Amino acid sequence: MFYCEPYNESNVVKLSKLIDDMNNIEICYSDDPTEPMLLCQTRINQNPVKFKTYISRNVISSRIIENEMVQDHIILTNQQQVVQFLNTCFLPYDPGNDQLYEEKNVTNGDIFSTLLQHTEIFNDKSVTSFGNWCSSKKVDFLMCKPKRKRYANNSMISVRSLYILKKEYFTEIVKRIVLFLTEYQTEIRNLKKQGFKILGYARKSEGAEDHETRIRLLNLMFDHVFVSYNSQANDPLAERDMKQKDELLTQLSAEGNTQDMLAYITNTEKICLVALDHAGLSTNCNDLYGFLTQHPNLEKIMIDTMPTESVIHVYERNRLLNEPEMLKKFECRKKPHQRSK
């Protein structure tokens, strides 16, 4: 594929040797596996999210066996991972995504039982100890106040009405937390070392929730980001938050609204903008093209679709401007996925 030669056994042997003879050089790809490139191994290691290497045929069989053995044994190994798992799988608010989440009444015991399937940290702990630990860590699901519910045998049990990730996605979430998060953090650290400023952007569509609930939802999403309080995914970026009330912004865990973000990007070089899902930034491709054209300081966009696709999309400014098919990836109509911080 790299040399554009016909695929046959002799070419595989001959051309593989040419690549192997290049010291510290590896064949890899960025977004499209059919577009290979040669890069220094050090650069690939520094950007594991952006640059992916191919699996050679002679290791595929062993890799499959290894994955089958490891897949069922990936577990959460520290308290930070457990908090992230709980905050992703047990939400105290409606994320607006019926495909992934379903509303259920659950006890602390139910949550504890689910957690024990994915970690050994609490093997010698009781449900009461787990509840106390959750309180000390300020786990998000505690924001939903428990209610007493009477069962058929007249027993009263405290339950919370939570939005719970569907069971079939639990293993993938654990895998993402344990294996991918390290690479994601490495990519962010490398960008910072290169002088990039990392901006988060959260867009919240206008909905039926009252002000207090909607502000709480935004506070759960990120720590230090710019937020658009009332906007649709196809609204022009330059026209968002023109009439937003200042008192609402002061209640958010954010540095400002869309207009503040635009001003920051205009006056700051080497920006990487991070958003959750393509629709979390914009589905208006024409407007996004104009936005990139008008803001040359915006050099990278990272779109986190880990909950649904297990992928972090890294887009270079020049490729978005010069490759229309790449820009069209933003032309979706799905609701932005929300998650707790």
Side-chain angles (χ1 to χ4, degrees), residues 36 39 52 69 92 95 107 126 141 177 208 213 220 237-238 247 265 292 307 311 323 338:
L39 285 180
K52 299 96 174 173
M69 294 176 61
T107 66
S126 66
F141 73 75
I177 292 172
T213 301
L220 284 173
L237 285 156
E247 61 268 22
I265 293 176
L292 288 165
V311 173
E323 301 179 22
Q338 302 178 38

Side-chain angles (χ1 to χ4, degrees), residues 16 36 40 51 92 98 101 109 125 145 154 157 163 168 173 198 244 296 329 338:
S16 294
C40 173
F51 302 117
D98 296 337
Y101 291 88
K125 304 296 182 181
K145 295 181 179 180
N154 286 328
I157 300 178
Y163 290 84
E168 57 264 32
I173 288 298
I198 312 298
Q244 181 164 295
K329 293 182 180 180
Q338 302 178 38

Side-chain angles (χ1 to χ4, degrees), residues 147-195:
K147 297 180 180 180
R148 302 283 289 178
K149 184 174 181 179
R150 187 183 300 276
Y151 283 80
N153 60 359
N154 286 328
S155 62
M156 299 293 291
I157 300 178
S158 292
V159 299
R160 288 183 171 87
S161 180
L162 302 176
Y163 290 84
I164 302 173
L165 188 71
K166 293 180 180 180
K167 184 177 180 180
E168 57 264 32
Y169 296 107
F170 281 173
T171 300
E172 187 57 43
I173 288 298
V174 171
K175 181 180 178 182
R176 172 177 70 89
I177 292 172
V178 175
L179 301 181
F180 191 87
L181 185 58
T182 300
E183 294 185 352
Y184 189 15
Q185 292 172 335
T186 298
E187 173 74 0
I188 294 296
R189 285 195 296 269
N190 286 332
L191 287 174
K192 290 182 178 180
K193 289 179 181 178
Q194 297 170 32

Side-chain angles (χ1 to χ4, degrees), residues 2-165:
F2 180 79
Y3 288 99
C4 298
E5 294 283 352
Y7 182 87
N8 55 56
E9 292 297 328
S10 61
N11 279 341
V12 167
V13 174
K14 179 180 67 175
L15 300 177
S16 294
K17 187 177 186 306
L18 289 178
I19 295 177
D20 292 339
D21 289 342
M22 298 180 189
N23 293 329
N24 201 31
I25 297 295
E26 181 61 81
I27 187 169
C28 65
Y29 66 96
S30 179
D31 297 306
D32 188 349
T34 65
E35 297 182 2
M37 65 183 82
L38 283 178
L39 285 180
C40 173
Q41 183 67 58
T42 302
R43 188 179 180 193
I44 296 174
N45 293 340
Q46 289 177 342
N47 296 275
V49 172
K50 180 179 179 181
F51 302 117
K52 299 96 174 173
T53 56
Y54 296 92
I55 302 176
S56 59
R57 187 179 61 179
N58 62 336
V59 301
I60 288 178
S61 296
S62 60
R63 184 69 61 84
I64 291 174
I65 295 174
E66 178 184 346
N67 285 342
E68 289 176 348
M69 294 176 61
V70 173
Q71 181 69 29
D72 295 333
H73 294 86
I74 295 178
I75 61 174
L76 306 166
T77 57
N78 59 58
Q79 294 188 10
Q80 182 181 5
Q81 291 176 353
V82 171
V83 170
Q84 187 177 359
F85 174 80
L86 293 173
N87 287 348
T88 301
C89 298
F90 300 92
L91 306 185
Y93 60 89
D94 184 356
N97 192 335
D98 296 337
Q99 178 185 353
L100 296 179
Y101 291 88
E102 53 189 351
E103 186 177 13
K104 288 185 178 180
N105 289 325
V106 292
T107 66
N108 280 3
D110 296 329
I111 299 173
F112 188 48
S113 296
T114 298
L115 179 61
L116 290 179
Q117 299 175 35
H118 302 286
T119 185
E120 298 177 352
I121 294 177
F122 296 95
N123 281 359
D124 60 344
K125 304 296 182 181
S126 66
V127 174
T128 301
S129 297
F130 168 69
N132 293 335
W133 178 86
C134 289
S135 297
S136 69
K137 297 298 182 181
K138 296 181 173 59
V139 178
D140 287 346
F141 73 75
L142 295 179
M143 299 177 67
C144 178
K145 295 181 179 180
K147 297 180 180 180
R148 302 283 289 178
K149 184 174 181 179
R150 187 183 300 276
Y151 283 80
N153 60 359
N154 286 328
S155 62
M156 299 293 291
I157 300 178
S158 292
V159 299
R160 288 183 171 87
S161 180
L162 302 176
Y163 290 84
I164 302 173
L165 188 71

